[in-house]
Amino acid sequence: MANIPVHLAIILDGNGRWAKKKGLPRNAGHAAGARVLEDMCEVVWNKGIRFFTVYAFSTENWNRPAGEVEALMKLLRDYMKNSVKRAMKNNMRVRVIGDKSGLDADLQESIASLEEATAGNTGLTFQIALNYGGRDEIVRAVRKLASENDPDFMKTLTEKDLSGALDTADIPDPDLLIRTCGEERISNFLLWQLAYSEFYFTDLAWPDFNEAELDKALENYSSRTRRFGGLVKGEE
Ligand code: FPP
């Protein structure tokens, strides 16, 4: 394919609906979604994509029923603990973005040790957004800059300064955002970073997402002309 995104972001939607359709509890949908996600990391890398970011748990997801929040946290705990081997085998670097300070201490520890163990890997960078909200990320970044710098610096703050204080510092902005299961919203995901990303929506629920659908999204992406607010050659 001519034009492969460097950074792919996905809003994993529809786990609950997938489960309901099959007569299963919602948590079975999340478990299925987590399995698909682990396989997708390998598929994505094999396509030539270098950065992969997924929305696993938003700052608003705490409002779900306690049992569902607990099940999602258990899935994430298990992932942080059990995926080191596979990540090392695949040379994959794992990072978590979001407000980690709002997570249980043991989960914070497992995240830190997975991030540390995989920090030197040079294959896919897999970013998991966890207790993540785009607005929250921007507010945290501004607070951090204000606490570390004098007021004069803040008065002349640049886009580059702010980008560098986000959780995604040093990671290029996503080229392509996919959202599954028919919804067409950003839902507070990567608000700053998606400024010029291409969007692709599919009706498939996340647990049904597969390589063929990814290929469709990549095919569609490669046919688009990205202007970044300007014109491309031939349009002048
Ligand atoms: C949206 O489906 C999905 C989520 C809120 C959770 C996504 C999390 C995972 C797939 C697990 C992440 C795991 C790892 C290993 C990082 P929904 O529940 O909103 O579905 P619905 O809209 O059909 O109810």
Side-chain angles (χ1 to χ4, degrees):
M1 216 171 295
N3 206 358
I4 292 286
V6 173
H7 184 171
L8 169 70
I10 302 189
I11 299 178
L12 315 163
D13 201 4
N15 293 344
R17 277 166 281 175
W18 179 90
K20 195 170 169 208
K21 225 169 144 187
K22 290 190 161 351
L24 297 169
R26 290 178 57 81
N27 294 339
H30 295 314
R35 284 194 295 274
V36 169
L37 182 57
E38 290 191 54
D39 292 342
M40 204 45 64
C41 286
E42 284 157 31
V43 174
V44 155
W45 173 250
N46 289 332
K47 302 287 170 200
I49 291 162
R50 305 195 61 83
F51 300 89
F52 180 35
T53 304
V54 297
Y55 209 1
F57 195 90
S58 76
T59 45
E60 289 72 36
N61 285 153
W62 298 108
N63 298 325
R64 294 196 174 197
E68 184 169 346
V69 170
E70 223 168 89
L72 277 165
M73 288 300 147
K74 180 171 179 346
L75 270 179
L76 291 158
R77 261 192 185 87
D78 290 349
Y79 180 80
M80 301 306 161
K81 286 210 181 106
N82 303 332
S83 67
V84 185
K85 232 175 160 179
R86 191 163 168 183
M88 296 312 285
K89 188 178 133 254
N90 291 330
N91 194 19
M92 180 171 85
R93 174 168 71 135
V94 185
R95 293 169 37 126
V96 170
I97 59 169
D99 185 1
K100 291 183 243 187
S101 71
L103 302 171
D104 285 352
D106 71 299
L107 181 53
Q108 288 187 44
E109 276 166 33
S110 319
I111 291 170
S113 69
L114 179 60
E115 286 183 328
E116 224 171 274
T118 62
N121 288 347
T122 54
L124 184 74
T125 296
F126 177 43
Q127 293 195 115
I128 304 168
L130 180 44
N131 193 25
Y132 177 89
R135 290 182 176 180
D136 177 68
E137 180 190 29
I138 294 168
V139 169
R140 283 187 290 106
V142 172
R143 285 189 183 152
K144 179 167 170 258
L145 286 165
S147 71
E148 290 171 358
N149 297 283
D150 57 46
D152 278 347
F153 173 87
M154 294 307 287
K155 280 186 198 141
T156 56
L157 192 74
T158 64
E159 290 189 6
K160 195 159 173 265
D161 295 329
L162 186 48
S163 284
L166 296 173
D167 299 341
T168 52
D170 305 324
I171 304 282
D173 289 342
D175 303 289
L176 174 64
L177 171 78
I178 297 176
R179 181 166 186 153
T180 57
C181 214
E183 310 294 347
E184 302 188 355
R185 308 184 273 277
I186 299 190
S187 301
N188 205 11
F189 189 43
L190 301 176
L191 292 182
W192 175 279
Q193 299 88 338
L194 292 172
Y196 286 105
S197 308
E198 299 291 330
F199 288 13
Y200 179 89
F201 302 105
T202 168
D203 286 335
L204 282 185
W206 173 251
D208 285 331
F209 194 82
N210 53 35
E211 184 167 1
E213 190 62 28
L214 177 65
D215 282 339
K216 262 205 247 169
L218 295 179
E219 196 76 54
N220 183 292
Y221 170 82
S222 82
S223 69
R224 298 193 196 179
T225 307
R226 301 185 72 193
R227 297 185 180 79
F228 296 96
L231 296 178
V232 291
K233 235 178 153 106
E235 285 184 333
E236 302 91 354

